[in-house]
C-alpha cells in the first residue's frame, strides 16, 4: 500500500523520486499506510502513532518533526484519500511485476 501511495504522490506533484528523497518519501508513505491500516482502539491511537513515528524516525534517520510535516503534506496532496481497492492493488502489482521481470 505504501508503494501505491508513493506512486499517487508522484503523480499529483512535480516532485520526482531521486536518491536524495526516496527514503524520506517512502518512510512517510509507510507511516501513512500503517496508520490507515492499523486496527487500534481509539484510546490507544495516539500512543501507537507516537511509537510508530519514533520507530520510523530512528530506522530512517529522519527527525520525527520532519516526518510529521511530510506526513501532513502527503495527506493534503493526496486529498486524504488513503483507500486502495483490491482492483487497484492487483493492477499495481501486475504492472510492477511485469516491469521488474523485463
Amino acid at each position: 500500500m505504501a508503494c501505491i501511495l508513493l506512486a499517487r504522490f508522484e503523480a499529483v506533484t512535480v516532485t520526482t523520486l531521486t536518491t536524495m528523497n526516496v527514503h524520506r518519501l517512502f518512510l512517510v508513505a509507510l507511516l501513512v499506510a500503517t496508520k490507515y491500516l492499523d486496527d487500534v482502539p481509539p484510546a490507544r491511537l495516539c500512543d501507537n502513532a507516537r511509537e510508530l513515528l519514533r520507530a520510523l524516525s530512528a530506522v530512517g534517520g529522519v527527525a520525527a518533526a520532519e516526518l510529521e510535516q511530510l506526513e501532513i503534506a502527503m495527506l493534503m496532496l493526496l486529498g486524504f484519500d488513503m483507500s486502495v481497492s483490491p482492483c487497484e492493488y492487483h493492477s499495481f502489482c501486475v504492472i510492477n511485476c511485469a516491469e521488474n521481470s523485463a
Side-chain angles (χ1 to χ4, degrees):
M1 181 172 171
C3 291
I4 292 173
L5 295 179
L6 194 55
R8 285 183 189 172
F9 174 81
E10 194 174 21
V12 298
T13 182
V14 295
T15 303
T16 55
L17 298 179
T18 68
T19 56
M20 300 300 288
N21 67 12
V22 69
H23 75 285
R24 280 180 165 74
L25 293 174
F26 181 75
L27 280 173
V28 172
L30 185 60
L31 175 66
V32 169
T34 302
K35 282 184 173 182
Y36 180 79
L37 295 172
D38 205 4
D39 188 19
V40 178
R44 291 264 312 136
L45 191 57
C46 288
D47 291 339
N48 283 10
R50 277 191 284 268
E51 290 169 17
L52 177 62
L53 186 64
R54 277 196 301 267
L56 287 177
S57 174
V59 168
V62 178
E66 182 181 356
L67 275 180
E68 282 181 310
Q69 291 172 347
L70 290 170
E71 176 187 13
I72 292 166
M74 180 174 279
L75 285 167
M76 291 180 77
L77 282 167
L78 295 177
F80 292 86
D81 180 16
M82 302 300 107
S83 62
V84 175
S85 70
C87 183
E88 181 182 10
Y89 183 82
H90 177 74
S91 296
F92 186 85
C93 291
V94 168
I95 289 168
N96 285 293
C97 287
E99 286 178 2
N100 291 332
S101 64

